[in-house]
Amino acid sequence: MKVKKIFITGGAGFIGSHICEEIFQSFEGSNIIILDKLTYAGKKKYLKNIIKSPRVKFVKGDIRNYKIYKKLLKNVDIAINVAAESHVDNSFKSPLSFTSTNTLGAHIFLLSCIENNVRRILQVSSDEVYGEMIRGKCNENQKINPTNPYSASKAAAEIIINSHKYAYKKDILTVRGNNVYGIRQHPEKLIPRCIISLIKNKKIPIHGNGMNQRYYLSAHDFAKAIVLLIKKKDRGIYNVGSETEYSNIKVAKEICKLFKKEPSKNIKFVKDRPYNDKRYSISVNKIKKLGWKQKDNLINDLPQIIEWYKKNYKIFNI
Ligand SMILES: NC(=O)c1ccc[n+]([C@@H]2O[C@H](COP(=O)([O-])OP(=O)(O)OC[C@H]3O[C@@H](n4cnc5c(N)ncnc54)[C@H](O)[C@@H]3O)[C@@H](O)[C@H]2O)c1
């Protein structure tokens, strides 16, 4: 499929900006249209490596604004919905804003793609839609069972989007990612929170007893998976994730080690979320069969991520 125009929402966010860079390199000659509301999590400067190119057009706007799409989706071949409210803690405080952006917003994005004849549609989702997985791994056929307002809003979006592939015969892809790490991530998330706490000589706050387990994939590996999937003819659901698991406390201790700080003096345990899934775990065999493979590794990448935050933490105004 010849790709001339790609539309992406949430491109000024953490993962979105890495996906935009990967698309920019992988689809030479294509144009990229980025729609982002620039909430607290999005920054235009995350796109500084590509935004000056005549191939890139940035539009500040809301994915729920139905009127915005007609002009932006003209002759678009592929549309990718990355925009979301993404922080689980916030979803307990303001669940409706999550349903509004993540579910209603995704529905408006989808209908606009259908109306404007976009051929291929990709929804970025999360492994959290499966809910807690104490043992074993979920493959894509596992029933979804979200346990917090964030994951429920993402699961609801998936159900709506995937139901449309029957009536409209669209190429619809859904990608369920596990935790992603890298530069530009907002400090509300574990890794930057640990790093910035130590930069500011504060203790790292860890939820509960810190034993919750998570898998971490680099934003580069995640972006590469997205590019691979949009190039293939396939449709359907794909898990994308890492195969190495860390407890939250292990991540905090690794970061203390790199700062040469004693964990027992630099970590404090704080009140847990109302519900905090102990573990998620996905099988990535399906995407591996397409030729995708995790290349990066959290522990190797932490030093360069720390360097980025040392230079840039002030942009977060925290
Ligand atoms: N961060 C992770 O570990 C992770 C893991 C799996 C899946 N995901 C999914 O990946 C996507 C990106 O996550 P992230 O961590 O980069 O999020 P983020 O919060 O860092 O960025 C979200 C981006 O979306 C934009 N946005 C929010 N609401 C918008 C709206 N109404 N209209 C237009 N733009 C809006 C923000 O301005 C921001 O640029 C989300 O869909 C999330 O559910 C994230």
Side-chain angles (χ1 to χ4, degrees):
M1 162 179 177
K2 182 124 182 63
V3 178
K4 289 196 191 128
K5 231 184 201 182
I6 301 171
F7 173 79
I8 174 164
T9 72
F14 160 51
I15 296 179
S17 60
H18 287 92
I19 296 176
C20 287
E21 287 176 347
E22 192 63 35
I23 287 175
F24 186 83
Q25 280 165 21
S26 304
F27 292 91
E28 276 177 32
S30 67
N31 292 320
I32 306 169
I33 300 157
I34 302 166
L35 173 68
D36 197 298
K37 192 181 169 193
L38 299 179
T39 66
Y40 73 96
K43 297 193 191 304
K44 229 169 143 182
K45 65 175 78 154
Y46 292 170
L47 294 165
K48 72 173 184 348
N49 296 335
I50 60 171
I51 204 160
K52 289 206 178 113
S53 162
R55 289 173 51 206
V56 176
K57 179 180 159 103
F58 179 85
V59 178
K60 184 176 176 197
D62 195 311
I63 55 164
R64 293 164 294 185
N65 181 358
Y66 196 64
K67 290 188 206 129
I68 216 168
Y69 290 95
K70 195 165 183 192
K71 219 163 145 196
L72 301 182
L73 289 177
K74 197 160 183 248
N75 299 324
V76 161
D77 304 294
I78 300 169
I80 306 171
N81 186 31
V82 187
E85 287 295 338
S86 68
H87 189 42
V88 177
D89 287 3
N90 294 344
S91 78
F92 288 108
K93 292 175 205 142
S94 59
L96 280 180
S97 63
F98 279 66
T99 308
S100 177
T101 294
N102 299 357
T103 313
L104 179 64
H107 198 169
I108 293 170
F109 159 85
L110 170 75
L111 290 180
S112 305
C113 290
I114 292 170
E115 277 174 23
N116 291 285
N117 297 316
V118 175
R119 278 183 288 165
R120 215 154 155 66
I121 299 164
L122 189 147
Q123 166 72 0
V124 172
S125 191
S126 163
D127 66 346
E128 294 204 23
V129 299
Y130 293 116
E132 198 164 53
M133 189 75 194
I134 302 294
R135 273 179 294 281
K137 286 182 183 296
C138 300
N139 68 30
E140 291 79 354
N141 300 321
Q142 177 94 19
K143 221 172 110 196
I144 54 178
N145 184 29
T147 60
N148 62 57
Y150 161 72
S151 52
S153 68
K154 298 295 288 185
E158 281 198 16
I159 291 173
I160 293 168
I161 290 182
N162 285 311
S163 72
H164 284 64
K165 68 185 164 213
Y166 300 98
Y168 297 96
K169 311 268 179 297
K170 287 281 166 198
D171 282 355
I172 295 179
L173 282 155
T174 305
V175 176
R176 294 176 179 158
N178 70 201
N179 278 24
V180 178
Y181 71 84
I183 61 169
R184 307 176 196 144
Q185 188 170 35
H186 193 274
E188 64 195 0
K189 309 284 175 18
L190 178 69
I191 293 172
R193 189 172 72 224
C194 293
I195 296 172
I196 294 180
S197 300
L198 296 185
I199 291 174
K200 295 175 94 176
N201 284 319
K202 289 188 176 158
K203 287 191 180 188
I204 297 172
I206 292 288
H207 279 136
N209 62 8
M211 292 315 288
N212 302 57
Q213 301 283 126
R214 299 290 186 260
Y215 290 80
Y216 290 92
L217 184 71
S218 79
H220 295 126
D221 281 336
F222 187 73
K224 286 197 166 81
I226 300 289
V227 164
L228 176 92
L229 286 170
I230 57 180
K231 280 182 174 168
K232 297 270 175 190
K233 282 211 175 98
D234 251 42
R235 18 168 107 178
I237 299 171
Y238 282 87
N239 289 340
V240 176
S242 147
E243 294 184 274
T244 328
E245 194 171 8
Y246 303 91
S247 63
N248 292 350
I249 190 74
K250 166 90 176 145
V251 171
K253 284 181 177 172
E254 284 295 331
I255 294 171
C256 283
K257 208 177 355 168
L258 291 164
F259 275 84
K260 299 195 174 37
K261 291 196 177 194
E262 174 58 43
S264 63
K265 291 189 185 129
N266 289 284
I267 295 174
K268 63 175 179 187
F269 294 96
V270 298
K271 192 167 175 268
D272 208 349
R273 289 173 178 162
Y275 194 82
N276 198 346
D277 291 325
K278 287 192 181 59
R279 179 178 182 259
Y280 305 110
S281 184
I282 51 176
S283 156
V284 292
N285 289 340
K286 189 173 171 192
I287 187 157
K288 273 173 137 182
K289 283 189 190 137
L290 294 182
W292 176 86
K293 210 166 116 197
Q294 171 183 0
K295 293 211 174 96
D296 301 334
N297 164 295
L298 174 64
I299 302 300
N300 292 344
D301 288 349
L302 275 176
Q304 70 197 62
I305 294 171
I306 291 172
E307 283 316 302
W308 187 87
Y309 280 98
K310 280 183 179 166
K311 285 194 196 113
N312 294 285
Y313 74 95
K314 288 190 179 140
I315 62 175
F316 297 109
N317 294 324
I318 51 154

